[in-house]
Amino acid sequence: MSDFHRTAARIGASAAFAFTAPVAHAASFDCAKASTGIERLVCGDAALGSRDEILARLYSGALKVGKREAVEARQRAWLGKAQACATAACLAEAYDERNAELQRSEGGVKVGSDFFCEEPKGNHSILNVVGPVHGFASVSLMSNYVGPGGEEAGDVDTAATDAFLDLRKGTATVLNGRCRLTFERLGADGWKVIQAGTCELQGGVVFAGVYRRLP
């Protein structure tokens, strides 16, 4: 086994190569054997541990669908960035960037669950959710607005956003500049997104609405 495979089997994306270690303390590896600074950060922080489990799921899904060498190369680059982190905040940012990238990939999309919203008229939104995992979830949200000119005339606006949600109190609010999005889980088959502030979305695009899983 290469050095990269040994390292990856212990932090970040262990499921991508060997999902056999017993899972403890909400991480994709055995926290009882944590020995590096990054491992201890992940095992000591519930949000980081959940990010790690989500990453493991997404990476495994990407490997099944994408070009394996390219996916592994991207993961190797991410691993180097993560290993350079000395704080939980730095590591959380690294996880969020990689999870968002993987969740938008073909394999990553299949790992999550899709929820749909077609309000207001002309707006079509898809919310992809991985989780909740121990009270946390990773979401990727894309909305398209088709104006009166129609798609053939190019009268289409699109906006997308990604977020890591702490749902332990029931709802999670994400701030992006002056735009505030609040996510609420409506049981297993729905989500509610509330949009407030100045979100500066193109055309008639909105993120707000009730998202339902298709039957």
Side-chain angles (χ1 to χ4, degrees):
M1 181 182 285
S2 69
D3 289 340
F4 167 63
H5 284 69
R6 288 193 186 94
T7 303
R10 297 189 63 194
I11 72 169
S14 61
F17 300 101
F19 203 51
T20 57
V23 176
H25 304 297
S28 70
F29 56 92
D30 186 358
C31 281
K33 298 179 180 178
S35 60
T36 69
I38 292 179
E39 291 171 0
R40 286 189 287 269
L41 281 174
V42 170
C43 291
D45 186 296
L48 283 177
S50 295
R51 283 178 167 93
D52 184 76
E53 285 197 44
I54 290 170
L55 174 60
R57 296 182 188 184
L58 290 169
Y59 183 39
S60 181
L63 283 174
K64 293 176 182 177
V65 175
K67 296 180 180 179
R68 191 178 186 90
E69 290 185 0
V71 175
E72 288 182 354
R74 294 287 295 177
Q75 192 70 6
R76 189 177 295 111
W78 172 81
L79 194 59
K81 181 176 181 178
Q83 287 175 321
C85 286
T87 66
C90 172
L91 195 54
E93 183 177 351
Y95 269 108
D96 289 348
E97 289 180 1
R98 182 59 174 151
N99 282 341
E101 178 183 30
L102 286 168
Q103 195 165 354
R104 290 191 298 266
S105 71
E106 183 179 358
V109 167
K110 292 183 178 181
V111 170
S113 299
D114 283 332
F115 300 83
F116 302 87
C117 179
E118 294 188 352
E119 296 291 340
K121 185 177 180 180
N123 202 75
H124 308 274
S125 305
I126 301 176
L127 176 67
N128 184 266
V129 182
V130 179
V133 175
H134 309 296
F136 299 89
S138 179
V139 298
S140 181
L141 175 56
M142 183 176 70
S143 292
N144 295 288
Y145 177 77
V146 180
E151 292 185 58
E152 293 184 358
D155 190 6
V156 180
D157 292 305
T158 300
T161 189
D162 308 287
F164 179 77
L165 308 180
D166 181 349
L167 296 162
R168 290 176 295 179
K169 294 183 179 180
T171 63
T173 298
V174 178
L175 297 175
N176 185 357
R178 292 180 293 172
C179 181
R180 184 169 67 253
L181 298 177
T182 299
F183 294 80
E184 179 183 358
R185 192 182 186 207
L186 306 176
D189 296 319
W191 288 79
K192 183 178 182 180
V193 179
I194 299 172
Q195 178 179 316
T198 304
C199 293
E200 298 181 353
L201 302 177
Q202 294 183 345
V205 174
V206 296
F207 288 137
V210 175
Y211 292 72
R212 298 292 186 186
R213 192 197 304 266
L214 290 183

